[in-house]
Amino acid sequence: MNAVQVPPEPAPVRRIAVVRPNRRLGNTLMLTPLVQELETRFPQAQIELITTCAAAATLFQGFPAVTAVHAILTERPVRSLGRLLALRRRSYDLAIDPVLRSRTGRALLGYIRARDRVGFRWGVPGRDRMLTHAADPALAPPHMAHSPLYLLRSAYYSRALPAAVTGGITGLIAPLELRLSDSERRDGERRLAEKLGSAQWGTQPRVGIYAHATGSKSYPVGWWRQVIECLRRQPAALQLLEFIPADGRPRLANEIPGLYTPDLRLLGATLAAASLVVIPDGGIMHLAEAAGARVLGLFQTTEPACYGPYRPGSEALWARDASAESVAARIRAMLHRSSAVAAG
C-alpha cells in the first residue's frame, strides 16, 4: 500500500524586498496597498523597499514592518555604488518586481540575492528566466495600485500559502495609506483652522485647491479662477484655500488664501482636514488620497482607470475639455453627498 503523499510545508517568508526604482511620489505611494497585503499575509516578515524616491522613508514612516528603505541612485555616484554593493550582500526569501515593465526594476530583481523572485512575464527569455513565479500581464487590472496584488495572488500565494488563506485573486484591495498618527492629524486640522479662521470652522465646507501639475496634466490659472468664480456664485458659502506647491509659488494668490507646507506628512494631514480637495493627477493627489482626504481628481492626459483615486468618497473626473461651470457643479454635488451622508 502506497504511503499518502503529504505536500511539503511552504518555506517561511521572513525577509521581503519590494523592488520599485522610481523617483515619483505618486508611484511610491501606490506601493502602500502591496505593503499592507504583505503585512497581512506574512505578519512575521520584515519588508525592505528598494527605490529611487528620496521621500520613501518619510512616506512609509508609519509602517513598522518596513524595516529598511534603500534609496539608491539618489546621491553621488560613489555613495550610490556603495548602496548597491551593500544590497548585493543581503539575502531575501521573497523579492518582488511589482510593475508590468521596468527595465531597471527587473535588472535589480536579478541583481539581489533572493530565494523566490516574483514578477510579470515579459516574453523575453533573458528577463523572464530569473523569475521563480510569474504572472501574465494581459490579465492584470489596469490600476497601478491593484496590479501588484494581482501579481502576488495569481503567481505566488497559490504555491507559497494554503489556498484557504490566499483570499483569492480578486479579493479586497486596501486603499493608499499614509498612516498618519492622531497627533499628526490634529496638527493638520489646527494648521488649516488657523489659516481659514476658527470662527467658521465646522460650519462651512472647506475646499482645498491644488492648482499645479506637471506638463500636460496642468490647467491654466485662468481656468482655475473661473472655477472659483462659479463656486462663489452659488448661495451656499464655502471656505476656499489654495495648497501651494513645492516651489513655494501660489497660483491663485489674488483669489483665495494660500498655505505652503513643505513637510509631506504635515501636508497630507492638512489636506485630510479639508472637506474636499480638488486637484489634477499627480503625486500630491495620491498623497491626499493616502492621507484620507476626499479627492476630486482631474484628468486630461493620464487614464483614471490606471491612476484615479478609489477611496470611498473620492472621484476621478475626465476633464480635458471640462468647463469651469461643470467642475464647480461636480464639487457642489460631492459636498452635498458628503453632507447627506454625515446627516443620515
Side-chain angles (χ1 to χ4, degrees):
M1 184 175 179
N2 294 332
V4 175
Q5 295 295 315
V6 178
E9 288 289 326
V13 176
R14 296 191 179 94
R15 294 188 69 187
I16 302 171
V18 177
V19 184
R20 183 67 168 110
N22 187 280
R23 64 182 178 82
R24 294 186 179 276
L25 180 70
N27 288 340
T28 304
L29 282 164
M30 282 190 282
L31 292 175
T32 57
L34 171 63
V35 171
Q36 293 173 78
E37 176 97 351
L38 292 170
E39 287 177 326
T40 300
R41 303 305 185 188
F42 306 108
Q44 304 305 316
Q46 297 179 350
I47 303 168
E48 300 184 13
L49 304 182
I50 301 173
T51 178
T52 55
C53 177
T58 297
L59 301 179
F60 283 90
Q61 181 178 309
F63 290 79
V66 177
T67 57
V69 176
H70 305 285
I72 61 172
L73 308 178
T74 60
E75 300 173 305
R76 293 191 299 270
V78 172
R79 296 198 65 177
S80 294
L81 178 61
R83 288 178 181 270
L84 286 170
L85 292 174
L87 272 176
R88 181 67 176 172
R89 293 191 291 268
R90 306 173 80 84
S91 61
Y92 301 95
D93 301 308
L94 170 61
I96 306 165
D97 175 9
V99 297
L100 298 181
R101 204 172 185 92
S102 167
R103 280 182 285 187
T104 305
R106 186 56 55 91
L108 284 168
L109 187 74
Y111 173 76
I112 63 176
R113 297 162 56 195
R115 184 189 69 219
D116 295 334
R117 292 185 175 89
V118 182
F120 286 102
R121 191 177 297 109
W122 287 17
V124 179
R127 299 295 186 180
D128 293 344
R129 192 176 298 118
M130 69 183 68
L131 300 176
T132 61
H133 303 75
D136 183 353
L139 301 177
H143 202 287
M144 291 287 288
H146 301 174
S147 55
L149 278 72
Y150 170 83
L151 170 66
L152 281 185
R153 293 171 181 178
S154 63
Y156 191 69
Y157 289 160
S158 59
R159 303 182 190 186
L161 291 174
V165 297
T166 63
I169 292 174
T170 59
L172 294 177
I173 295 174
L176 272 61
E177 185 58 72
L178 192 57
R179 286 192 179 169
L180 295 168
S181 67
D182 291 342
S183 63
E184 286 176 319
R185 292 192 180 280
R186 286 193 295 270
D187 287 343
E189 292 172 358
R190 186 181 307 114
R191 184 169 173 77
L192 194 62
E194 288 172 352
K195 187 64 182 180
L196 292 176
S198 58
Q200 301 299 323
W201 187 257
T203 63
Q204 296 177 353
R206 305 171 299 279
V207 177
I209 293 176
Y210 189 84
H212 172 70
T214 57
S216 58
K217 296 179 182 180
S218 66
Y219 294 81
V221 171
W223 182 85
W224 286 109
R225 289 175 176 154
Q226 292 175 30
V227 171
I228 292 170
E229 182 182 349
C230 293
L231 289 172
R232 284 176 169 162
R233 284 205 299 261
Q234 301 294 324
L238 299 175
Q239 292 180 294
L240 299 172
L241 175 82
E242 178 187 5
F243 288 98
I244 299 172
D247 60 14
R249 294 189 300 108
R251 274 55 172 175
L252 304 169
N254 296 325
E255 306 295 328
I256 55 178
L259 185 61
Y260 177 58
T261 311
D263 180 275
L264 284 176
R265 296 189 69 84
L266 180 57
L267 174 58
T270 311
L271 288 162
S275 306
L276 180 66
V277 176
V278 185
I279 184 169
D281 175 34
I284 303 302
M285 183 194 76
H286 299 299
L287 182 75
E289 184 187 11
R294 295 183 69 247
V295 173
L296 175 59
L298 305 179
F299 290 77
Q300 59 177 335
T301 57
T302 48
E303 285 293 334
C306 297
Y307 300 101
Y310 62 93
R311 186 183 285 270
S314 292
E315 298 180 12
L317 175 64
W318 182 254
R320 175 181 291 174
D321 301 313
S323 66
E325 291 82 358
S326 65
V327 172
R330 186 72 166 263
I331 292 169
R332 288 284 185 182
M334 290 184 68
L335 292 172
H336 179 75
R337 284 194 292 274
S338 177
S339 299
V341 170

